[in-house]
């Protein structure tokens, strides 16, 4: 019996983790990609809890950066960045429910080299930005194209990185807002958290009828913080299974693997993201694992793990986790 | 010749500061108020540059808090807070233009006492919040109703505050987003900056065709930072004149009175809001007042003024200003 | 009867605001200046509560920057910056007492031009710094010498700024530490707060026997935030009167003028400095002015004022204040 | 040939990694412990580069919390917390050199149970604090004593944590300051970073003649961030070997194991600590591993790792690292 059959998704979800219909959300079916997560666009797909969706995502630049001699400032046009597939309407989903998304696979798609990273003016973790406004001259723009396949990310003659793909942006629609897909928040969004990877289930608090799942922005590999702001961006074929847990109010996204449970916070400054994630984790431990909240607080002091997703987006994202071996 | 005739609005605007048609945006005409600033709702009014609009705003709680024995947690329902009038469509406005709004008057409206402030759980500048998440127990809820008229804000037998009204939330629609009216940002929004008061002209960077002006959330008086998160909230009759400056790309809101020019930044942490505001001010001085940017930087070090709008909203807001006497 | 005779210093202090012995702490008497606030150096002067001290301060660069063609990077040598007079031993001062310092005058000293400001690499509010580390190239170094006298600060042909002098760095020794005079904190230090000016009384929580008062770093004028990090730095003759209030535990510096009471917080990020200052102000209002703490919190929301001292030092400093007219 | 013989310590150090004299710094020899890192106290030991020192550290509370019914507020007296062994004078060390400290072992010392954690009022990552000042009531105080030995940390019947000991506080003296041992900074100090563990070499920028090494505050195990502010605090016997690398100017502590190189930053807000650490890592890669700085920046975006030390001390600490397999 796999851990997934024991996960919240399986034990509380409608579908019990069993696969329903398989949908194919191709580029053609998607048509226009979206640059916000919201409830204003028409759903491109309607699914039942338990259904599987195979999604053709575009890279964060929608394929506009094709060569190392391209200049991002000429190719990219804010706010039309980070294209999202969706919205996917999940039948029965209502505010107060949890949408569980089991990530089954994330594979590079299309002609090689499939991976792009770059330096974008006034964007990134070690430069002045639109938010951390300085008078210093910006860094030069710079594009790097790299070969990515299931065997690795071929950075240079000297360095080969592992292929460790994940979904950079995934989330549900806010209740009444439509927010840039560059932003992460309580509904998910551009978290850029490497744990959102094949094998994990991620849980979102549904805000809008039908949940309106969006996803895109897959990465071939990424370090903690997505330092320069641009991971190894790839177009992908991503397969997820969605499920629904009724009447389970959570405040922020959660994630589960066979090894750990994780809560995800997004905020500025970075300590606020960490506070959110760790407070949610104490609450989860109290609600589902019979810990007193202060006991959980003191125990996490000794064994909590913190993963930095991004330190470059409009809000920074961290995941706080605890090993399942301490939750038995 | 008044300063206004010398303001940017007057010298660059279409209408030259002269009043056009007078519109009345009553509660009835407004109908449904809005809880986002965005381009998805239908405009309730269409105006020409130079037109004057008299707006009946509701208080931030839409009148739901009627007595000191009310509990905000029972009366208020997120995200349906901070109701906005609008959108007001301004003919000719396009991305890259500036919408100038001359604030003519802000007066309390309706039966007295008109003013409300309160303590809301996990909201405010001196408590743990949804963002600055703590395990401490929240403060008790508490409501205060005060009489407000043009002669003052009657806080208690002991304390009478001046009536210094201003518009708490005002802004244009983002290009493709619809964002909660609780949020301030580059397009304006919930800045809670007391300088946005009668006599001032505020300038917004237009993002969406027609500008889509929203406003609401008027305050009878407020201290720097709006410390507990709730100023003296009043329903109001607010009169503004709108004008348009074509092809003037600015990045953040600006404000002008006969005494000073001010730039407004919103961000977290607070120093980032201050950085934005001061960088924009150096740019304004360089663009319009013949200062070298580094000279402006050094001069503002000696005479720049900084006003804290709020330290409680999803982003904090500050205005950085310089006296016109140093700009001659 | 002047306000000072009603101030805490006068009503609770030993000396009742009356002047004692007049001491002259000349450059010669000072000898070696200090670059830390601490209890390890020998006092240069011992005074009684009520005594007046006339202090010859050096500018923040100890006079090393003498011309506009100087390069700060060649002239300045960290950590030997911001020279302080003192320590001044105040008889009877013990941990738990308050040292009250009445600032009587701050005048420019020595040959003209007396004022210096400059751009220092990787230091300032609108540049990447040692703390906000970026990869962008630093700004060019730049020195500006300006004439300063009691009639004004002569910035350029175009701009004359008012002469509004104050003490940039003043404080007592921590209990067991010796901390760089570039740093502000709970014991005072490099607050760069323009309210620390003639006419004000500033109150420090004594940490070390004898208080060990230090001061220096006087400014001819300064804007909110000391944006580029260097105000109009002047050598000065500064006259203060010290007094002692026994057994009055305060956590952070406080300040009083005839118009207002102010509390001073220093921290990063900037909102934490504001939180400290405002919390201390609610506590002061509760302790001395018969406000309930939550009442004070709600009232400050409507009439609190916040002044940014610096946004460039190792900690940022703000003063939160309330007008005495609301405290009657 | 072990990795250590290839480390910077071995290849550039005086001693070549070979052990010199073995010193025993017992409680008796130490005598008075210290609560600051500074150059004012007399060294308790003088060693040659290459020497080994066995140190008897006290726990962070100096053994004052002996039972679960103790109240920290009654037992602890600020600033007399976090007692340090030292200063240890290292012959030949001068400003501009690097002190390399090879951590050989950290073992619990004294009668069992040896481990203490607790909740201290207004201290910790999920509560209002002296810096993040709130009006909420503090959490209750709470003490937990746990058995710690080389086989594990026995948290409860339900949870046994691994014994993963490390040094919480270690550093050299600042040049002219003496700073609380509760603080981390560029000279080391209270970093609370679990990587400072047996097997690692940590490198400090020497500021003061003789380096003046201090250490203490050992932990039996700790999670990322030291969430409630108190890890499993243990008295220890810690063995380190010190070495000296002449004329190697580094700005912040660095660390090396056989798997990775790491740079350590301490600042508030947390993103500034991350910026420092990552910028130092790009500089290290550029200086010693033949990467162009922007190439290093882009590569760390894909494979950098970030470890949160503490989010509770006066400055927060993070370590940024890169695997040696990408540095070949």
């Amino acid at each position: 019996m796999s851990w997934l059959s024991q996960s919240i998704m399986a034990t509380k979800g409608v579908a019990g983790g069993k696969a329903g219909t398989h949908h194919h959300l191709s580029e053609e079916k998607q048509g226009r990609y979206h640059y916000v997560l919201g409830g204003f666009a028409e759903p491109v797909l309607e699914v039942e809890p338990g259904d599987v969706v195979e999604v053709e995502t575009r890279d964060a630049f929608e394929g506009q950066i094709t060569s190392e001699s391209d200049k991002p400032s000429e190719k990219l046009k804010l706010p039309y960045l980070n294209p999202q597939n969706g919205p996917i309407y999940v039948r029965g989903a209502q505010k107060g429910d949890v949408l569980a998304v089991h990530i089954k696979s994330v594979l590079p798609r299309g002609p090689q080299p499939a991976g792009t990273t770059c330096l974008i003016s006034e964007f990134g973790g070690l430069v002045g930005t639109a938010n951390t406004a300085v008078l210093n001259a910006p860094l030069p723009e710079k594009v790097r194209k790299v070969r990515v396949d299931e065997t690795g990310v071929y950075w240079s003659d000297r360095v080969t990185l592992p292929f460790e793909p994940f979904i950079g942006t995934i989330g549900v629609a806010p209740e009444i807002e439509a927010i840039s897909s560059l932003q992460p928040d309580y509904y998910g969004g551009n978290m850029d958290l490497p744990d959102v990877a094949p094998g994990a289930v991620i849980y979102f608090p549904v805000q809008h009828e039908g949940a309106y799942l969006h996803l895109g922005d897959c990465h071939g590999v990424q370090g903690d913080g997505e330092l320069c702001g641009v991971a190894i961006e790839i177009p992908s074929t991503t397969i997820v299974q969605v499920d629904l847990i009724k009447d389970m109010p959570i405040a922020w996204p959660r994630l589960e693997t066979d090894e750990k449970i994780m809560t995800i916070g997004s905020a500025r400054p970075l300590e606020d993201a960490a506070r959110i994630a760790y407070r949610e984790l104490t609450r989860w431990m109290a609600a589902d694992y019979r810990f007193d909240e202060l006991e959980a607080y003191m125990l996490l002091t000794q064994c909590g793990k913190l993963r930095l997703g991004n330190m470059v987006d409009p809000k920074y994202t961290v995941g706080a986790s605890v090993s399942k071996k301490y939750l038995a």
Side-chain angles (χ1 to χ4, degrees), chain A residues 147-161:
Chain A
R147 181 159 68 88
V148 177
D149 61 33
E150 291 177 59
T151 67
V153 172
Y154 295 86
W155 178 262
S156 67
D157 289 353
R158 193 175 163 192
V159 177
T160 300
L161 301 168

Side-chain angles (χ1 to χ4, degrees), chain A residues 265-284:
Chain A
S266 295
R268 289 191 179 201
L270 186 51
E271 54 266 38
D272 271 358
R275 283 173 177 136
I276 290 167
Y278 264 134
R279 183 167 78 167
E280 290 301 307
L281 194 51
T282 65
R283 289 179 171 174
W284 192 356

Side-chain angles (χ1 to χ4, degrees), chain A residues 2-317:
Chain A
S2 78
W3 77 270
L4 192 61
S5 65
Q6 300 165 319
S7 72
I8 291 178
M9 172 167 160
T11 55
K12 295 194 186 173
V14 169
K18 296 197 179 62
T21 307
H22 187 108
H23 305 266
H24 188 204
L25 185 51
S26 63
E27 290 215 3
E28 272 172 9
K29 184 165 172 57
Q30 176 64 46
R32 197 164 54 92
Y33 283 68
H34 296 287
Y35 310 96
V36 294
L37 276 74
F40 297 94
E42 280 300 301
V44 291
L45 190 67
E46 198 168 322
V47 303
E48 291 286 341
D51 284 3
V52 171
V53 190
E54 182 178 340
V55 183
E56 292 184 1
T57 70
R58 289 184 175 161
D59 77 21
F61 308 122
E62 212 154 358
Q64 294 301 300
I65 297 183
T66 55
S67 123
E68 297 200 343
S69 57
D70 281 344
K71 290 208 145 191
S73 60
E74 291 166 4
K75 294 287 182 173
L76 307 177
K77 187 150 172 290
L78 272 170
Y80 302 97
L81 276 178
N82 203 14
Q84 298 295 303
N85 292 77
I88 298 171
Y89 187 100
V90 180
R91 281 187 203 120
Q94 288 183 307
K95 188 169 182 177
D97 298 341
V98 161
L99 184 73
V101 182
H102 180 203
I103 302 165
K104 293 187 166 290
S105 65
V106 177
L107 290 175
R109 187 168 63 86
Q112 299 305 326
T116 309
T117 183
C118 57
L119 299 185
I120 297 174
S121 270
E122 304 224 314
F123 179 63
L126 290 186
V127 295
T129 66
N131 279 302
T132 304
V134 298
L135 298 176
N136 306 75
L139 296 186
E141 299 185 84
K142 217 174 147 126
V143 170
R144 185 75 167 259
K145 303 292 283 188
V146 295
R147 181 159 68 88
V148 177
D149 61 33
E150 291 177 59
T151 67
V153 172
Y154 295 86
W155 178 262
S156 67
D157 289 353
R158 193 175 163 192
V159 177
T160 300
L161 301 168
F163 178 63
E164 292 175 349
F166 69 97
I167 304 174
T169 305
I170 180 169
V172 295
E175 186 168 352
I176 60 173
E177 296 176 286
I179 297 181
S180 165
S181 54
L182 297 170
Q183 167 106 358
D185 212 323
Y186 63 93
Y187 54 81
N190 191 22
M191 300 175 288
D192 292 317
L193 184 68
D195 299 88
V196 186
V201 179
I202 183 163
Y203 303 97
F204 298 106
V206 175
Q207 310 290 326
H208 188 283
E209 192 200 306
Y212 278 57
L213 177 67
H214 296 70
L215 76 165
D217 185 27
C218 291
H219 296 168
V221 69
Q222 184 200 294
D224 294 349
E226 201 187 16
L227 190 59
C228 82
V230 186
I232 300 297
E233 308 290 334
I234 54 169
S236 85
T237 299
T238 288
I239 299 176
V240 298
Q241 182 187 12
V242 300
D243 207 345
L244 199 61
I245 305 167
K246 296 298 292 180
D247 298 322
M248 182 188 174
I250 62 175
W252 286 85
R254 297 179 175 183
L255 184 143
E256 188 177 4
T257 69
D258 58 352
E259 312 259 300
K260 65 174 180 280
I261 63 170
M262 174 182 273
T263 46
I264 302 171
S266 295
R268 289 191 179 201
L270 186 51
E271 54 266 38
D272 271 358
R275 283 173 177 136
I276 290 167
Y278 264 134
R279 183 167 78 167
E280 290 301 307
L281 194 51
T282 65
R283 289 179 171 174
W284 192 356
M285 290 169 71
D288 289 2
Y289 296 97
R290 296 170 298 114
F291 284 91
D292 170 79
E293 195 175 84
L294 294 188
E295 163 90 3
Y297 180 39
M298 294 175 86
L299 177 56
L300 288 174
T301 305
Q302 319 312 335
C303 66
K305 294 292 175 196
L306 201 131
R307 179 79 174 272
L308 178 59
N310 86 79
M311 54 182 278
V312 295
D313 295 334
K315 297 190 174 189
Y316 306 138
T317 299

